[in-house]
Amino acid sequence: MSEANTARTLTGTALTKRYGGNAVLRAVDFSIAAGSVVGLIGENGAGKSTLSSIIAGIKRPDDGAMTIDDRPYAPASPIDALNSGVAIIHQEIKMIPELSVAENMFLGRLPVRRGRVATREMVADARAALADLGVTLDPRRPVAGLSTATQQEIEIARAIIRRPAFVIFDEPSASLGRHETERVLEQIDLLRSRGTGVVYISHRLDEVLRIADRVVCLRDGSKVGEWDARDIDREGMIRAMVGRDLARREAPPPPHGHEVVASVQDLSSSRFENITVELRRGEILGVSGLVGSGRTEIVRALAGADPFDSGEVLVEGAPVKIRSVPDAISAGIYMVPEDRKAQGLNLNRTSAENMALPWESRLVPSGFVTTRFLDRLKRRMASEVDIRGDLDRPVGLLSGGNQQKVLLAKWLVRIPKVLILDEPTRGVDVGAKEAIYEIIRALAARGVAVVVVSSELEEVLLLSHRVMVVAAGRQRAILTREEATPERVMQLCVS
Amino acid sequence: SGTPGGQSSRDSDDKAIGVSMSFVNQFYAAAQQGMEEEAAEQGYELVILNAQGNSSTQVNHVQNLVSQGVGSLIFIQLDAASGGASISQANAAGIPVVAVDQVPAGGNYVTYIGSDSVAMARQACDHLAELLDGEGDIAIVEGIPASSTQMQRTEGCDTSLHENPGLDVVSTTSADWDQNKAVSVFANVLTANEDLQGVFAQSDDMALGAASAAESAGRENIPIVTIDGFPAVYDAIEKGHISATMSQQPYTMGQIAVQDAIAAMEGTGEDIPKEQIQESVLVTNENLEEARAQRYYGTQG
Amino acid sequence: MATSLTERPTALPASAIRITQVKSRLKMLSGPLIGLVLLIAVMSFLSPVFLTTNNLINILVQVSYIGIMAAGATLIIILGGIDLSVSAVLGLSFMVVAVTYQNLGWPFWICIIVGLATGTGIGLLNGVLVAFGKVQAFIATLATMFAATGLSLYLTNGTPILGLPDWFLGLSQVRLLGVSLQVYLMIVVVIIAALWLKYRPAGRSLYAIGSNEEVARLSGIRVKLLQLRVYATAGFLAAVAGLVVGARLNAAQPSAGNSSDLLSVIAAVVIGGASLAGGVGSMWGTFVGLLIIGVLNNGLTLLNVSPHLQPVVIGAVIILAVLSDGRLLSIFRVRSRRQTA
Amino acid sequence: MATSLTERPTALPASAIRITQVKSRLKMLSGPLIGLVLLIAVMSFLSPVFLTTNNLINILVQVSYIGIMAAGATLIIILGGIDLSVSAVLGLSFMVVAVTYQNLGWPFWICIIVGLATGTGIGLLNGVLVAFGKVQAFIATLATMFAATGLSLYLTNGTPILGLPDWFLGLSQVRLLGVSLQVYLMIVVVIIAALWLKYRPAGRSLYAIGSNEEVARLSGIRVKLLQLRVYATAGFLAAVAGLVVGARLNAAQPSAGNSSDLLSVIAAVVIGGASLAGGVGSMWGTFVGLLIIGVLNNGLTLLNVSPHLQPVVIGAVIILAVLSDGRLLSIFRVRSRRQTA
Ligand SMILES: Nc1ncnc2c1ncn2[C@@H]1O[C@H](COP(=O)(O)OP(=O)(O)OP(=O)(O)O)[C@@H](O)[C@H]1O
Ligand SMILES: Nc1ncnc2c1ncn2[C@@H]1O[C@H](COP(=O)(O)OP(=O)(O)OP(=O)(O)O)[C@@H](O)[C@H]1O
Ligand SMILES: [Mg+2]
Ligand SMILES: [Mg+2]
């Protein structure tokens, strides 16, 4: 690997990839130079992950060729790529929950000494690599039970532990908070200074501007622009990605009514206590807090996904018993869960089937789910939520952003009284993000009370009428839009 | 019947009698009943174990009986492999063995009580030959391949067939001693053989299955000859669905086995004959009532 | 309502989508179906009696009780579970019918209800253990399998019970258009199960549960309730299969419902394309799998293959039936690639 | 820009982590282990002979061939597969040993090698079908199960072969410290498999494959090669188990590989905490599961439970053994909740 580390340039020429006739990557030229960072941007489904998979040996191009320092480079597998000094941090976390952190980091090339896995060395190496990232974690514990953020950090440590010449970061920050993201960016600075060539993919354009030396933009599988990072700004990037100007609506949310749609009184469980809040018709309530503060647990309890110990929920003045998800649905409380792969969608089933799942038993008057019902539901949702891709194919084949839209559409088939969105824009491109914001505002305008849980404080502040701040399972304050300055919220979070 | 043993009226230091068998059909149920009733009468405890068709399990069972110190062992061999290994364990521990139904493949036993399987099968097939005047296409429905019973009954019938060259075996199938499976298998046999004239089913359960298949196919006049003498087959003979069976005497065998087992463990078994072949009777419509009166299958009969 | 800011993708014409659907459905089935067709072709060639109406009806009769159980097993396997107890439940529930009839002298239709309730009850017990006890389905149903086997021996101490009402035997003996009632019963069960699976919300959600239980639960599907229902249904159907076997034998055999029936049931479902990992499978596939097993058993007897060799042939044919899928697919793939190139 | 507020969770001290690990390991095992301890306690109480050295050795002897197969089955189940053919392979491979010895007159040690090769070969065939034929493991091994059963009948037309060299019978008859060699063989197999699974990279990779084959493949694990190796190993171990059974019976019985053995093998693994979904399981757990089965079968014969009721008790105990986990856990949970409150 020390030899690989001296490589200078990786170039791809006319890289092309097709799936059953439609090209998702069209003759893209691409290069990474040692000691520099390429920011790769593009809408959901533009082909960023496809391009990085090709470079990292996960997929093979249908056309085009790659070289490293003018020697041909055609990896047949991720291991081939690693041996040539190319590593990737996947967009989707790929871990084996049953194995230890260290084993996950060394999976596929566990070190052996005297015939057995050299656990001590491995653990020491893993610990050091994690420490480099500022993570203190016992590498011997199993991955099961670790938060997504921590798993993402392990993925990064795992990729750079071999000191590759080129590293691709495919949306590492999607499930990270600000501190973790900052640490990752620092790590990239360090890699760059050591002469590593880095590709950084993100939908958070400010991060791209902060870290990249050059920026490459893909649209519909073609490269539509490449700039020196000093020559481009946020608006320019958006224009390149979307193909036109995208107005950013900084406007306040639509005014809400006074009528209380739902009220939560003294909700408590082992993970949180005494949550009390009233939601008014058309109100958007943001929920802010640190990772692990219990935001997800609170909204899951409200949506019937987890049991709570005490407290009461009233919908339109009447107390409702919420013991299960169906209870919450009948009460008009729907939740879009935070982890779309594990909790939101059946990836091997079609988008149409996924959207229909909760409604087949609830919206079919005859009790028989007909093709006509499914077709109509599909067409209606396709017209209401713009999803790029065939709704009759497994949803797992869609790009991440489009999957998120399918997940949202699933819970908009019938208009709820209260809609809970847990991290609704995770991994979603700027355009789609604006689209989701618009959907949220439009729902509020129709009188739906919306609860938005998000790790992006800016998102919470932009969308909400009021912000609930949660720390250590307790509700610290509920701030009005005027009171909710970033400083104030942060202060409450760490109190 | 009911649960065996337990409420012995005799001294508690009397040793129990171990029984190892593999339960597949009514023959064993009747033998078990014979043993239980005899043991209850004499005030002995029985420990009955069912190997469920697994040779290794039967060996394990005998080992467990030996280690819990039974006074004697009644052994119905599942197959040659389990027989030798089981009996040598009992021999090594000095526990007398009474073999029932099957001659053990190895080791020493006090006595063997059973029907002569080979002879029964031979007689059954001879009877079939007689019914067909020594000529015609016949089918054989066999039990679980490689079990002792299947092999002996095959051997006996083969001898008879050798002497009756006019009989032509057009089909040999296995129905695993199972009535339900026999219905299916035999329906297929009938389809394949338009001119079938006779059947030898190696057990009564399978004969009953074959008979109902023949009935549904409208060919109930094909003579079926079988072995065991289950009460249900008597009824079928009466109705003309089955021609003949070789009736065994499992209930009596069970009783004798317990008597001999007691004698052997009390040390009074010197004069027990080494072989006690129980008469097996060819039951046809002619001697049906006499056979019924004998209650070969205990109260079940 | 919700305005979207991005432009519409070009939609495929409906006909193209329909073709894709048909193709993907064919792909899923092609293996077993082609296997079945080939098997039938070979058998017809080798045996002159194979293709007679009578023999084909026989095949259906012979698989009918397996088919009834396989309908239940399909539901369970799609749900992501397994039921090892079905064949033992078959034996026990009909034993209960016979014992209540003969020993207690109850009217036969009541006995039937009691028998069906027994089967349903054991199925429900399986469901409770799996859904609420969080016991792996394999273990839970293994345990009830043992228990049911033992109980049906215990009930009569191993003796069969003979003699059932004549009208009841009609299930096996009465024929409509030359086909005995049990076959219609099986077909009705399979069709109802197929329709339920395809058109009823509960049936459709089995796929969701089998693919990802958590997603299903968060979608408002009552996962545990459905597990209970499906296991209970499988138990009920095993009891129905018990009636078919009982009517066929005119007896309750304690040894009925043995492990080879169980293997046939699961094999039919799995050969039919279902995955034991859950989320995949269809009633139609199971039916094809069932016919493969039926044709195979029937054909081998017609051809008078030695009983010792029959298992070898069965093993080989199962593999070929399943593999014919892969090969066929790869042929298609090569062709379509050529066309695009 | 996107300002987000997050903070590191406070890291636990290493000692606390160690305790958590031990706890989580205990949790995984607690069910079966506690089940086993309870079972032994009850048996010792009910039967005076149960706790004698002799009887305990007997239990080990009686499970030894099951244990050898279960070691292989554990690997396969962790890998996410299943092997239905093991017990049939046991029968066939020892039949091959006996036939080459008796009918062909080869030196016995060569016959042993041929027998082990037969088992390994069938295992390899399973592996090829699963890894390269993409046949579901259930179907592939069901087919080889049929084939192996048939072949071992066919080899001698159903006749058992009796009479093996005396030195070979020593495997069952020779005792070291009062324990027969087959028990040592089983223990050695289990220990080697446990060490392999715990310390060898290939062994560790089984968990990865069983948990997520795609991730394993992307990590550079040679998934197919490992599948081949593991299925071949299971076949080999089945042949070894065949030697144990052969030495014990002093005979090769064509019907030796019995489906009840197969169920015991899988039950031992699953009772021991492995999941048929793959990725979970341990050799130590399997050993506990094996002992539960052994103690249960032995104990019930000692207690003189009616032979018909024995299966009922076995079923109930299996459920209790597995459930004792859940109950125990919920007690723990209530406690820890109280402490935090
Ligand atoms: N295996 C596949 N089969 C068919 N289409 C696929 C497959 N994998 C990806 N695609 C399609 O290729 C296109 C590009 O996907 P890709 O994952 O590269 O997008 P992306 O730019 O990474 O998007 P995101 O920002 O959402 O991660 C998408 O339209 C996707 O649906
Ligand atoms: N004690 C714990 N053991 C295992 N997992 C935990 C524990 N506490 C929290 N987690 C997991 O960590 C993640 C974050 O916790 P939580 O949902 O409470 O915080 P949050 O405020 O919603 O954070 P975020 O949504 O940003 O992850 C969740 O996926 C949760 O399941
Ligand atoms: Mg992507
Ligand atoms: Mg959260």
Side-chain angles (χ1 to χ4, degrees):
Chain A
M1 64 183 160
S2 49
E3 176 220 343
N5 209 2
T6 62
R8 307 301 309 162
T9 328
L10 189 158
T11 37
T13 343
L15 295 173
T16 300
K17 181 79 190 172
R18 291 181 212 93
Y19 285 110
N22 43 332
V24 297
L25 214 56
R26 307 161 202 254
V28 172
D29 296 333
F30 192 77
S31 81
I32 322 168
S36 77
V37 177
V38 182
L40 182 58
I41 58 171
E43 286 183 286
N44 291 129
K48 305 180 294 296
S49 295
T50 307
L51 178 60
S52 26
S53 304
I54 288 174
I55 298 173
I58 297 166
K59 292 176 180 170
R60 280 198 239 170
D62 294 326
D63 255 318
M66 293 184 285
T67 58
I68 293 180
D69 290 347
D70 301 325
R71 271 171 290 130
Y73 164 66
S77 70
I79 302 314
D80 257 14
L82 261 180
N83 292 336
S84 309
V86 181
I88 185 167
I89 290 116
H90 298 280
Q91 180 171 10
E92 313 301 341
I93 292 174
K94 294 183 190 292
M95 295 259 162
I96 306 296
E98 289 84 10
L99 295 182
S100 73
V101 170
E103 282 175 326
N104 267 287
M105 289 174 62
F106 286 87
L107 199 60
R109 48 186 203 91
L110 295 171
V112 178
R113 166 168 305 185
R114 278 192 258 114
R116 46 181 281 186
V117 174
T119 312
R120 201 172 311 161
E121 287 91 326
M122 182 174 76
V123 167
D125 286 359
R127 201 189 302 275
L130 288 167
D132 270 356
L133 283 176
V135 182
T136 38
L137 179 73
D138 185 345
R140 286 168 302 185
R141 63 155 290 162
V143 162
L146 289 174
S147 71
T148 328
T150 313
Q151 292 191 33
Q152 182 63 266
E153 289 169 331
I154 298 169
E155 282 267 19
I156 295 172
R158 164 191 186 172
I160 61 182
I161 199 169
R162 295 188 71 179
R163 307 204 175 284
F166 304 98
V167 192
I168 302 165
F169 289 79
D170 194 351
E171 288 193 53
S173 58
S175 46
L176 297 185
R178 198 182 68 168
H179 287 273
E180 293 94 338
T181 308
E182 192 47 46
R183 253 197 325 269
V184 172
L185 295 181
E186 280 163 16
Q187 190 65 33
I188 292 176
D189 277 332
L190 191 67
L191 288 172
R192 169 163 51 195
S193 68
R194 286 192 195 139
T196 311
V198 176
V199 177
Y200 188 80
I201 301 174
S202 178
H203 290 297
R204 298 187 187 165
L205 300 179
D206 310 278
E207 287 169 8
V208 177
L209 282 176
R210 141 94 169 73
I211 197 72
D213 300 304
R214 281 185 312 130
V215 176
V216 171
C217 179
L218 295 181
R219 189 167 74 225
D220 288 338
S222 304
K223 188 162 91 178
V224 293
E226 177 161 7
W227 310 271
D228 192 297
R230 280 164 306 194
D231 304 337
I232 184 95
D233 60 4
R234 201 190 140 87
E235 279 64 41
M237 291 197 282
I238 294 176
R239 205 177 308 122
M241 284 164 65
V242 185
R244 62 198 154 85
D245 281 315
L246 189 67
R248 257 198 118 192
R249 285 193 51 184
E250 299 281 0
H256 62 77
H258 291 286
E259 187 188 339
V260 175
V261 175
S263 77
V264 178
Q265 285 164 9
D266 266 336
L267 208 63
S268 301
S269 82
S270 59
R271 297 271 293 133
F272 56 84
E273 37 186 68
N274 301 348
I275 307 298
T276 301
V277 65
E278 287 189 336
L279 298 168
R280 291 168 199 288
R281 183 169 296 286
E283 185 183 31
I284 304 175
L285 176 77
V287 180
S288 217
L290 304 179
V291 166
S293 58
R295 297 164 300 174
T296 296
E297 269 83 354
I298 295 170
V299 292
R300 276 175 65 91
L302 189 54
D306 292 333
F308 53 88
D309 296 339
S310 64
E312 203 177 10
V313 179
L314 290 88
V315 174
E316 287 169 349
V320 286
K321 284 219 159 62
I322 296 180
R323 291 214 194 81
S324 65
V325 178
D327 287 349
I329 292 178
S330 344
I333 303 173
Y334 308 169
M335 176 181 72
V336 175
E338 62 179 341
D339 183 342
R340 65 170 172 265
K341 309 244 144 170
Q343 304 165 343
L345 298 170
N346 269 329
L347 298 180
N348 55 353
R349 307 199 69 80
T350 70
S351 306
E353 285 169 329
N354 268 287
M355 290 189 298
L357 185 60
W359 310 113
E360 291 179 348
S361 59
R362 297 183 170 84
L363 292 186
V364 181
S366 66
F368 288 92
V369 183
T370 57
T371 334
R372 209 174 120 227
F373 167 83
L374 294 173
D375 275 347
R376 279 170 56 179
L377 186 138
K378 180 178 75 194
R379 260 182 273 130
R380 181 160 72 83
M381 295 327 291
S383 73
E384 289 182 7
V385 180
D386 174 37
I387 299 157
R388 301 239 172 138
D390 185 349
L391 296 187
D392 288 314
R393 301 212 305 145
V395 71
L397 296 180
L398 293 179
S399 73
N402 281 306
Q403 289 181 17
Q404 188 67 30
K405 289 192 213 163
V406 172
L407 179 56
L408 200 56
K410 170 176 168 182
W411 291 105
L412 295 179
V413 167
R414 196 167 72 178
I415 300 303
K417 294 188 177 118
V418 178
L419 181 65
I420 299 166
L421 302 164
D422 197 356
E423 308 286 1
T425 61
R426 185 173 276 176
V428 155
D429 70 38
V430 269
K433 206 173 208 173
E434 290 298 330
I436 290 173
Y437 293 167
E438 275 312 303
I439 293 171
I440 293 173
R441 291 193 183 107
L443 283 167
R446 289 185 61 167
V448 177
V450 185
V451 177
V452 180
V453 178
S454 173
S455 294
E456 277 183 59
L457 181 53
E458 192 193 40
E459 181 168 286
V460 172
L461 298 184
L462 176 71
L463 285 171
S464 319
H465 292 106
R466 289 190 296 158
V467 178
M468 175 196 281
V469 184
V470 178
R474 277 167 218 265
Q475 160 186 350
R476 292 294 158 187
I478 295 182
L479 306 175
T480 63
R481 191 171 172 82
E482 292 68 40
E483 295 167 335
T485 61
E487 296 72 28
R488 183 83 196 279
V489 174
M490 277 200 266
Q491 208 179 8
L492 284 166
C493 279
V494 295
S495 65
Chain B
S1 59
T3 38
Q7 60 284 69
S8 166
S9 57
R10 295 173 54 109
D11 299 350
S12 58
D13 50 313
D14 260 330
K15 290 190 167 174
I17 302 167
V19 182
S20 171
M21 61 202 288
S22 179
F23 203 97
V24 279
N25 60 32
Q26 215 176 344
F27 175 90
Y28 301 93
Q32 184 191 345
Q33 194 189 12
M35 292 180 209
E36 281 172 355
E37 289 179 8
E38 185 65 24
E41 195 157 301
Q42 308 232 16
Y44 276 83
E45 189 185 356
L46 280 185
V47 182
I48 302 183
L49 299 175
N50 173 8
Q52 288 171 321
N54 189 331
S55 334
S56 297
T57 304
Q58 184 162 44
V59 180
N60 289 345
H61 279 167
V62 172
Q63 190 174 40
N64 290 338
L65 290 171
V66 168
S67 79
Q68 79 184 93
V70 293
S72 60
L73 174 69
I74 297 177
F75 186 75
I76 304 186
Q77 168 180 288
L78 172 61
D79 56 37
S82 68
S86 299
I87 296 216
S88 53
Q89 292 183 79
N91 289 163
I95 295 173
V97 176
V98 174
V100 178
D101 186 43
Q102 295 291 326
V103 181
N108 301 317
Y109 50 92
V110 175
T111 178
Y112 160 68
I113 307 157
S115 327
D116 185 340
S117 272
V118 179
M120 275 194 306
R122 185 175 172 178
Q123 198 181 343
C125 286
D126 282 345
H127 182 71
L128 184 63
E130 225 171 275
L131 288 174
L132 302 180
D133 293 327
E135 235 167 284
D137 291 352
I138 65 162
I140 298 179
V141 183
E142 298 187 338
I144 292 179
S147 54
S148 296
T149 316
Q150 180 264 330
M151 301 207 351
Q152 288 155 358
R153 293 182 182 178
T154 302
E155 186 193 334
C157 187
D158 281 351
T159 318
S160 163
L161 291 173
H162 206 70
E163 291 161 1
N164 293 289
L167 290 187
D168 191 6
V169 180
V170 292
S171 158
T172 306
T173 50
S174 168
D176 297 343
W177 305 127
D178 185 53
Q179 186 181 357
N180 189 30
K181 197 164 178 198
V183 182
S184 297
V185 165
F186 196 65
N188 298 336
V189 170
L190 285 172
T191 308
N193 302 284
E194 287 294 331
D195 304 323
L196 197 67
Q197 277 152 315
V199 184
F200 170 53
Q202 287 187 346
S203 80
D204 279 357
D205 276 339
M206 297 194 296
L208 289 166
S212 52
E215 197 185 346
S216 344
R219 291 162 73 182
E220 52 272 77
N221 47 356
I222 299 179
I224 300 175
V225 172
T226 172
I227 298 179
D228 280 336
F230 293 172
V233 168
Y234 287 4
D235 298 346
I237 290 175
E238 193 165 30
K239 290 189 192 129
H241 296 165
I242 288 177
S243 307
T245 184
M246 293 296 305
S247 215
Q248 305 196 70
Q249 308 188 26
Y251 185 84
T252 317
M253 290 181 200
Q255 286 177 313
I256 300 175
V258 168
Q259 291 158 6
D260 291 353
I262 293 171
M265 93 172 131
E266 315 253 280
T268 57
E270 302 84 24
D271 46 353
I272 301 176
K274 185 83 179 168
E275 247 189 21
Q276 306 183 60
I277 303 296
Q278 300 302 303
E279 189 195 4
S280 43
V281 186
L282 180 74
V283 179
T284 63
N285 222 340
E286 270 115 64
N287 60 349
L288 195 58
E289 284 319 311
E290 297 153 48
R292 270 206 177 117
Q294 295 294 330
R295 293 196 164 271
Y296 294 132
Y297 277 70
T299 51
Q300 303 165 9
Chain C
M1 46 156 281
T3 45
S4 61
L5 299 176
T6 36
E7 65 226 80
R8 302 233 49 72
T10 44
L12 283 170
S15 64
I17 291 173
R18 183 124 338 149
I19 289 176
T20 326
Q21 278 181 337
V22 170
K23 245 193 190 167
S24 81
R25 201 161 297 171
L26 262 184
K27 258 183 203 171
M28 222 188 74
L29 257 183
S30 62
L33 193 57
I34 289 173
L36 177 62
V37 171
L38 286 180
L39 193 59
I40 291 179
V42 171
M43 289 300 176
S44 326
F45 180 74
L46 292 179
S47 159
V49 283
F50 179 80
L51 262 194
T52 57
T53 324
N54 222 339
N55 189 53
L56 296 180
I57 291 175
N58 268 350
I59 293 177
L60 288 176
V61 169
Q62 289 163 13
V63 296
S64 56
Y65 74 102
I66 300 284
I68 291 170
M69 287 191 281
T74 308
L75 304 182
I76 288 188
I77 287 173
I78 291 176
L79 183 79
I82 193 155
D83 188 351
L84 303 181
S85 72
V86 273
S87 63
V89 170
L90 176 158
L92 174 61
S93 55
F94 195 68
M95 205 41 147
V96 169
V97 173
V99 167
T100 48
Y101 177 64
Q102 285 269 354
N103 301 12
L104 305 183
W106 295 0
F108 198 70
W109 63 270
I110 292 189
C111 305
I112 289 183
I113 292 173
V114 173
L116 294 176
T118 306
T120 315
I122 299 178
L124 210 53
L125 176 61
N126 286 331
V128 168
L129 288 171
V130 170
F132 296 100
K134 305 226 158 78
V135 181
Q136 281 195 60
F138 185 92
I139 303 223
T141 59
L142 181 74
T144 48
M145 177 194 93
F146 278 125
T149 309
L151 280 179
S152 67
L153 279 169
Y154 187 69
L155 270 183
T156 64
N157 213 6
T159 341
I161 294 187
L162 311 172
L164 303 166
D166 278 346
W167 62 264
F168 174 67
L169 303 183
L171 185 56
S172 148
Q173 289 164 1
V174 172
R175 289 165 191 235
L176 277 180
L177 309 170
V179 180
S180 91
L181 289 186
Q182 59 190 328
V183 174
Y184 292 102
L185 181 60
M186 184 257 292
I187 289 175
V188 167
V189 166
V190 167
I191 288 178
I192 290 178
L195 293 177
W196 187 77
L197 202 50
K198 200 163 158 61
Y199 291 112
R200 290 288 298 171
R204 297 170 59 86
S205 53
L206 297 191
Y207 289 97
I209 299 175
S211 306
N212 186 330
E213 204 175 304
E214 180 67 2
V215 169
R217 192 175 71 88
L218 291 181
S219 300
I221 287 166
R222 296 176 193 275
V223 174
K224 296 188 175 191
L225 191 71
L226 256 173
Q227 285 174 327
L228 285 190
R229 276 174 67 183
V230 168
Y231 278 96
T233 306
F236 172 80
L237 288 177
V240 172
L243 296 180
V244 168
V245 172
R248 195 171 181 213
L249 302 185
N250 186 12
Q253 281 281 6
S255 61
N258 50 41
S259 61
S260 74
D261 286 342
L262 171 64
L263 269 186
S264 301
V265 168
I266 299 181
V269 178
V270 181
I271 291 174
S275 156
L276 287 174
V280 185
S282 72
M283 208 50 79
W284 163 240
T286 295
F287 193 67
V288 172
L290 183 70
L291 292 183
I292 289 183
I293 291 176
V295 168
L296 206 48
N297 283 329
N298 170 275
L300 291 181
T301 312
L302 294 190
L303 298 181
N304 200 16
V305 176
S306 136
H308 298 160
L309 269 188
Q310 283 198 14
V312 182
V313 180
I314 291 178
V317 172
I318 289 177
I319 288 294
L320 288 181
V322 178
L323 271 187
S324 59
D325 186 23
R327 272 200 240 138
L328 198 85
L329 272 188
S330 63
I331 293 169
F332 268 140
R333 217 172 290 139
V334 171
R335 249 192 225 162
S336 63
R337 209 173 272 175
R338 265 191 214 133
Q339 282 168 355
T340 37
Chain D
M1 55 153 273
T3 41
S4 69
L5 284 173
T6 43
E7 202 188 46
R8 297 239 47 73
T10 42
L12 288 167
S15 65
I17 290 171
R18 181 123 343 143
I19 290 175
T20 326
Q21 277 182 339
V22 171
K23 246 194 192 168
S24 83
R25 200 160 298 170
L26 263 185
K27 259 183 202 170
M28 220 187 76
L29 258 183
S30 62
L33 193 56
I34 289 174
L36 177 62
V37 171
L38 285 181
L39 193 58
I40 290 180
V42 171
M43 289 299 175
S44 326
F45 179 74
L46 292 179
S47 158
V49 282
F50 178 79
L51 261 193
T52 57
T53 323
N54 217 341
N55 190 53
L56 296 181
I57 292 174
N58 274 353
I59 293 177
L60 288 177
V61 169
Q62 289 165 10
V63 295
S64 56
Y65 73 104
I66 299 284
I68 292 171
M69 288 191 281
T74 308
L75 303 183
I76 289 187
I77 287 173
I78 290 176
L79 183 80
I82 193 155
D83 189 351
L84 303 182
S85 71
V86 274
S87 63
V89 170
L90 176 159
L92 174 62
S93 55
F94 195 67
M95 206 58 192
V96 169
V97 174
V99 166
T100 48
Y101 176 65
Q102 286 267 353
N103 301 13
L104 305 183
W106 296 359
F108 197 70
W109 62 271
I110 292 188
C111 306
I112 289 183
I113 292 174
V114 174
L116 294 177
T118 306
T120 315
I122 299 178
L124 212 52
L125 176 61
N126 286 331
V128 169
L129 288 172
V130 170
F132 296 99
K134 306 228 158 76
V135 181
Q136 280 194 62
F138 185 93
I139 304 221
T141 57
L142 180 74
T144 48
M145 177 194 91
F146 278 122
T149 309
L151 279 178
S152 64
L153 283 169
Y154 188 69
L155 270 184
T156 63
N157 210 9
T159 337
I161 295 187
L162 307 175
L164 302 166
D166 278 346
W167 63 264
F168 175 66
L169 303 184
L171 184 56
S172 148
Q173 289 164 0
V174 172
R175 288 167 188 235
L176 277 180
L177 310 170
V179 180
S180 88
L181 289 186
Q182 59 190 331
V183 174
Y184 292 103
L185 181 59
M186 182 257 290
I187 290 175
V188 167
V189 166
V190 167
I191 288 179
I192 290 179
L195 292 177
W196 186 78
L197 199 52
K198 200 161 160 62
Y199 293 115
R200 290 291 300 171
R204 304 305 298 162
S205 318
L206 295 192
Y207 289 94
I209 298 175
S211 172
N212 189 328
E213 199 174 312
E214 177 68 7
V215 171
R217 201 175 57 78
L218 288 179
S219 305
I221 292 170
R222 294 173 194 279
V223 174
K224 297 188 176 191
L225 191 70
L226 256 174
Q227 285 174 327
L228 284 190
R229 275 172 69 183
V230 168
Y231 279 95
T233 306
F236 171 80
L237 289 178
V240 172
L243 296 179
V244 169
V245 172
R248 189 152 186 242
L249 303 184
N250 186 13
Q253 174 67 25
S255 56
N258 192 289
S259 64
S260 72
D261 286 341
L262 171 63
L263 273 184
S264 300
V265 168
I266 300 181
V269 178
V270 181
I271 291 174
S275 155
L276 287 174
V280 186
S282 71
M283 207 52 77
W284 164 240
T286 296
F287 193 67
V288 172
L290 182 70
L291 292 184
I292 288 184
I293 291 177
V295 168
L296 205 49
N297 284 329
N298 170 277
L300 289 181
T301 62
L302 297 188
L303 296 182
N304 196 11
V305 178
S306 143
H308 302 326
L309 273 187
Q310 286 198 10
V312 182
V313 179
I314 291 179
V317 172
I318 288 178
I319 289 294
L320 288 182
V322 179
L323 270 187
S324 59
D325 187 24
R327 273 200 237 137
L328 198 84
L329 273 188
S330 62
I331 292 168
F332 269 140
R333 216 173 291 139
V334 171
R335 249 192 224 163
S336 63
R337 207 176 272 180
R338 266 190 214 135
Q339 282 168 355
T340 36

